[in-house]
Amino acid sequence: MDVKFNYINGQWVESVSKQTRDIINPATGEIIAQVTDSIKEDAKHAIEAAKASFYETREWRDMSAQDRSDLLYKVCAEIDRQRDKLSRLDTLDSGKPLREAEGDIDDAYHCFQFYAGLIKMPYGGVYDVNDGFGPTHSYTVKEPVGVCAQITPWNYPLLMAVWKIAPALAAGNSIVFKPSEETPLSVIVLFDILDQAGLPKGAANLVLGTGKNVGQYLSSSMDVDMVTFTGSTAVGQEIAKTAACNIKKVGLELGGKSPNIIFADADFEGAVEWAMIGIFFNQGEVCSAGSRIIIEKSLKDKFVKRLAERANNITLGNGLDNPDMGPLISERQMYKVLHYIALGKEEGANLVCGGERYIDGDRAKGFFVKPTIFDDCTSDMSIVKDEIFGPVVTIQTFETEEEAVRLANETRYGLAGAVFTTDGARALRVIKELRAGITWINAYNPTYNEAPWGGYKMSGVGRELGIYGLDEYRETKQININLTPGPVGWYTH
Ligand code: NAP
Ligand code: MG
């Protein structure tokens, strides 16, 4: 088996550790690839390359927006051409159903395309300022931040990478990218695409390794100007602390425990299906997952019965066979989810369906957990408070709109949320009260490259996607021009 290497300063290079790491297919437990297992020295080399590219050779940074845009369009065309290969790799690596992986690659393609176009848009502002010192012209320009370290999780291997890489490169930064140790394969292909497209050396660097060895070094380096991270809140807190060493710019896309509020007047079958998409899409390994269903009491029994019927019919299997749900990402994640299921039972929630590993036939080799619904939940239960990141949903009930809002906001997270009702004014009132960054009315989970993505509260800092995503990777410089040079008469002697 070929070992996949790091990409540093335009070269594929082995880690100085000479160690390798096995990449596992979570549907079968089989080793599907081996990658070089990097350590601090590799991260240091990558930072040096990015730094030289940004501050010395400056080829990428100084390239005209049009030329940068042309190169990024080449990259997105190649992502599209290699769609089948990339989606297959994401399925093999993360377990997700192939059609979901194909959707991810299409989103990644459109994300690159969006930023390739956006970089040519006008930007900055012109200000009419106080002319106490004589007429002054004041305006702003946007500039790349510099060396950006980027760290991503395993649930959307290529897509989470592209949400960071496309805007950072569009803005003219040099980057050092670290994917999750679990799912590096599609990102390795992306770096090959960047190389083939002719990206100047050092502008984009890839380091394969763990958060402990590589991620921590990146966020604590004095030579990194910005760190952006998608992952758990606990690691986000570590990164915020270490990034303080040189007051790096920080972008954090963290966990969630998002409410899905359903009123009795909602379209019934629609609400059931969206609730399923909310929690069982991508095996529930979605940061914005609608993991807390908060439902009007009068509808609850009927709704839970129907949801359980449909959840029990979900097919679980190897992602390549396009089941409804694939395995969880790893044995560790499977045991974490099973641990929460045990806690739910212990704390008195009522298990309606699922609640165990799925081990029929070949599935026993993989890390499958059945879609799980817990009824009669309360806000003090661990399964309601903590992000589980698996196919586990809790049910709570309300009788008034105020109670629905109170329950929805009873969380330290604030990533997403939804409301289902046919009463338009009520939908808007409830959404206005939700302390969350991404919300839906009568839908759950769709994501758009054009619209900002990010959380309130402990779900993060900053926004990805849209024009916001580009601005995260730019500094704003104020330029003030005195239009009448000469003494202004401030000092009298
Ligand atoms: P994680 O454990 O926080 O890891 C995320 C990334 O950080 C991985 O690449 C990891 O490396 C690295 N890392 C770990 N410790 C680090 C440290 N001390 N310093 C720097 N980097 C470090 O998260 P995960 O389990 O991969 O992903 C699940 C989490 O991601 C969930 O909480 C989910 O909500 C969140 N998520 C959020 C969004 C969003 O947009 N808000 C989107 C997707 C996922 P290794 O694992 O390779 O060692
Ligand atoms: Mg894997």
Side-chain angles (χ1 to χ4, degrees):
M1 205 175 272
D2 282 3
V3 178
K4 312 276 182 214
F5 285 174
N6 292 328
Y7 182 76
I8 297 176
N9 208 26
Q11 305 287 326
W12 293 99
V13 288
E14 188 180 7
S15 161
V16 298
S17 76
K18 308 280 180 211
Q19 301 294 305
T20 60
R21 164 180 297 280
D22 293 338
I23 303 300
I24 307 289
N25 176 351
T28 61
E30 283 162 8
I31 298 173
I32 48 171
Q34 286 188 317
V35 300
T36 200
D37 194 15
S38 308
I39 52 175
K40 281 180 195 165
E41 280 74 8
D42 302 298
K44 186 165 178 281
H45 293 156
I47 293 168
E48 280 162 3
K51 201 176 157 191
S53 141
F54 191 81
Y55 292 100
E56 289 162 36
T57 57
R58 303 177 53 123
E59 207 184 329
W60 182 244
R61 167 187 179 181
D62 288 346
M63 197 180 275
S64 73
Q66 174 154 312
D67 290 346
R68 274 207 309 275
S69 167
D70 285 349
L71 194 139
L72 295 179
Y73 275 123
K74 267 200 231 168
V75 171
C76 70
E78 197 54 26
I79 291 174
D80 195 34
R81 206 184 62 78
Q82 300 198 37
R83 176 181 187 261
D84 290 349
K85 176 179 176 182
L86 288 164
S87 45
R88 211 182 133 80
L89 281 176
D90 269 2
T91 287
L92 284 172
D93 210 349
S94 74
K96 66 175 68 195
L98 188 60
R99 64 175 185 291
E100 292 186 12
E102 287 165 352
D104 295 352
I105 307 309
D106 292 343
D107 284 351
Y109 160 75
H110 285 117
C111 185
F112 255 103
Q113 205 183 41
F114 178 79
Y115 286 113
L118 193 66
I119 195 62
K120 291 190 283 185
M121 289 288 290
Y123 56 80
V126 178
Y127 305 91
D128 191 357
V129 293
N130 172 355
D131 66 356
F133 286 105
T136 298
H137 182 60
S138 178
Y139 71 104
T140 51
V141 293
K142 304 254 183 180
E143 296 175 344
V145 179
V147 174
C148 301
Q150 307 184 308
I151 302 169
T152 52
W154 40 257
N155 60 340
Y156 289 88
L158 189 75
L159 191 59
M160 289 299 102
V162 166
W163 282 14
K164 292 187 169 12
I165 292 173
L169 289 181
N173 295 284
S174 291
I175 65 168
V176 178
F177 184 83
K178 188 202 98 63
S180 162
E181 58 178 305
E182 310 268 9
T183 54
L185 301 181
S186 55
V187 170
I188 294 171
V189 174
L190 176 65
F191 272 76
D192 190 42
I193 292 174
L194 291 169
D195 180 72
Q196 299 293 318
L199 194 78
K201 72 183 171 81
N205 304 276
L206 171 70
V207 186
L208 307 167
T210 62
K212 206 164 153 279
N213 290 334
V214 175
Q216 229 168 43
Y217 187 84
L218 293 176
S219 68
S220 60
S221 164
M222 296 297 283
D223 291 325
V224 169
D225 300 303
M226 175 174 191
V227 59
T228 54
F229 167 79
T230 301
S232 61
T233 294
V235 173
Q237 287 175 308
E238 282 309 305
I239 288 181
K241 277 186 226 159
T242 50
C245 65
N246 63 337
I247 316 292
K248 282 180 190 61
K249 263 191 102 174
V250 177
L252 301 173
E253 295 287 344
L254 309 178
K257 189 74 186 180
S258 301
N260 184 3
I261 305 169
I262 300 165
F263 284 89
D265 69 351
D267 176 277
F268 182 73
E269 287 298 335
V272 170
E273 182 161 16
W274 281 112
M276 294 185 59
I277 295 171
I279 190 60
F280 301 133
F281 190 83
N282 207 50
Q283 300 74 240
E285 296 165 322
V286 180
C287 52
S288 56
S291 50
R292 291 184 296 135
I293 290 178
I294 297 170
I295 186 162
E296 194 161 349
K297 204 168 180 183
S298 59
L299 182 66
K300 196 263 288 181
D301 287 345
K302 181 181 169 197
F303 187 92
V304 171
K305 183 164 175 275
R306 182 75 181 123
L307 190 68
E309 256 168 39
R310 295 198 62 178
N312 278 325
N313 280 328
I314 279 182
T315 55
L316 284 127
N318 189 318
L320 292 178
D321 301 329
N322 260 326
D324 293 323
M325 259 173 52
L328 298 182
I329 180 70
S330 63
E331 192 168 26
R332 196 174 63 161
Q333 184 67 9
M334 177 183 74
Y335 283 120
K336 179 185 159 197
V337 172
L338 293 172
H339 166 73
Y340 271 106
I341 290 171
L343 263 183
K345 292 183 200 162
E346 243 172 75
E347 292 179 358
N350 175 15
L351 181 68
V352 179
C353 71
E356 58 187 359
R357 191 173 173 181
Y358 182 62
I359 48 169
D360 274 15
D362 261 8
R363 311 289 188 270
K365 293 190 211 143
F367 315 128
F368 296 88
V369 173
K370 292 183 183 173
T372 299
I373 303 172
F374 275 111
D375 197 358
D376 305 318
C377 296
T378 51
S379 296
D380 56 340
M381 293 177 177
S382 311
I383 53 169
V384 176
K385 286 194 291 196
D386 298 350
E387 180 183 54
I388 300 174
F389 224 56
V392 181
V393 69
T394 61
I395 312 276
Q396 292 169 272
T397 56
F398 65 85
E399 286 178 275
T400 64
E401 189 178 310
E402 292 67 33
E403 199 186 357
V405 166
R406 183 178 56 74
L407 288 172
N409 285 332
E410 229 165 46
T411 170
R412 53 187 184 276
Y413 293 111
L415 189 59
V419 58
F420 286 80
T421 174
T422 45
D423 177 340
R426 175 159 65 195
L428 293 175
R429 277 197 307 274
V430 171
I431 290 293
K432 182 168 179 286
E433 290 306 314
L434 273 191
R435 302 293 296 160
I438 306 142
T439 63
W440 296 273
I441 295 173
N442 297 327
Y444 207 104
N445 258 344
T447 303
Y448 311 99
N449 282 315
E450 297 75 11
W453 181 273
Y456 288 17
K457 295 159 77 177
M458 288 179 80
S459 288
V461 177
R463 291 291 178 273
E464 294 196 290
L465 298 181
I467 193 158
Y468 300 83
L470 184 63
D471 271 345
E472 291 279 315
Y473 291 100
R474 301 198 286 197
E475 296 279 18
T476 301
K477 180 178 283 173
Q478 184 184 128
I479 303 177
N480 302 304
I481 308 166
N482 176 1
L483 296 175
T484 52
V488 290
W490 183 259
Y491 297 101
T492 49
H493 302 289

